[in-house]
Amino acid sequence: MGLVDIGANLTDRNFAKDRRQVVERALAAGVEQMVVTGVSVAKSRAALALADASRLFATAGIHPHDASSVEPGWEDAIRELAKNRRVVAIGETGLDFNRNYSPPDVQRTVFRQQIALAVELDLPLFVHDRDSGGQTRALLSERGRELGRCVVHCFTGTAADLAGYLDDGWHIGITGWVCDERRGVELQGLVADIPRERLMLETDAPWLLPRTMSPRPKGRRNEPAFLPWVARKVAECRGESFEEVAAYTSDNARRFFDLPLPRGT
């Protein structure tokens, strides 16, 4: 059974010229299923248009960067998209106080509304948390007993952040950040603390190209085909085999998002 990439921004303009080939390369590399991330109403619609209910799936939501640009009726639009069985989570949503492209109070409001949507629709929540100082966890805790499934995607936080999210019962998504010999050192030490039943893998393509790749692609664009490099580094950090990590992280992803087995397997 192949890998599952739980977060790939395949609607991004970086993939405009060769999106089909990107998917084909991923399948050839053993990445059998991908979840295409929705970050706005328009890009959630585009993510759903790519989804095929066997290999590609979608999320629907509003990224914190886009919180201040939502238009009236956005909740109804996300709700309608999420009724499609190819949409497997609400998000990407959360808080990002590192860049504050949207004011923090607006981010909090839009995040709360998407938590409520996940509860209402009984869907997982795909969460972004960067430099929120614990506020992301606090807002999740407001509805924690009602929220069935949540993954903190692209986790880059501290040991205390990780312990808190694990205590709350949430899953953790690991990206190529763990492959970075400069920024990823702390994460490399924390990966072994994640229970195997809570760990999932993602590329966050086109960003976070694994710096362990050899040779590295000429461009800086990441793509789902490079997920095995993330899996190898995670395996190294945990003292496990690549095959073990690939198997249980993919099983976790299929259970978490309720994905079917790929056709032909």
Side-chain angles (χ1 to χ4, degrees), residues 6 89 123-129 136-137 140 144 147-157 161-175 187 191 193-202 238 248-258:
I6 70 161
L123 282 173
L125 197 64
F126 191 79
V127 171
H128 175 109
D129 179 11
T136 301
R137 183 187 175 204
L140 287 170
L147 184 62
R149 291 164 287 169
C150 172
V151 58
V152 181
H153 112 97
C154 189
F155 180 81
T156 58
D161 293 330
L162 178 61
Y165 282 129
L166 292 176
D167 284 347
D168 293 342
W170 307 143
H171 285 64
I172 304 295
I174 298 296
T175 64
L187 182 59
V191 163
D193 296 333
I194 304 171
R196 63 164 53 193
E197 67 272 13
R198 305 274 199 87
L199 178 60
M200 296 187 284
L201 303 179
E202 54 182 319
R238 291 173 64 87
Y248 69 71
T249 57
S250 297
D251 285 345
N252 292 342
R254 292 187 178 99
R255 282 194 300 271
F256 182 88
F257 293 106
D258 194 22

Side-chain angles (χ1 to χ4, degrees), residues 82-99:
K83 291 178 181 177
N84 191 300
R85 64 188 180 91
R86 292 173 294 166
V87 172
V88 295
I90 297 296
E92 177 176 357
T93 182
L95 302 176
D96 191 317
F97 297 164
N98 177 268
R99 297 181 179 178

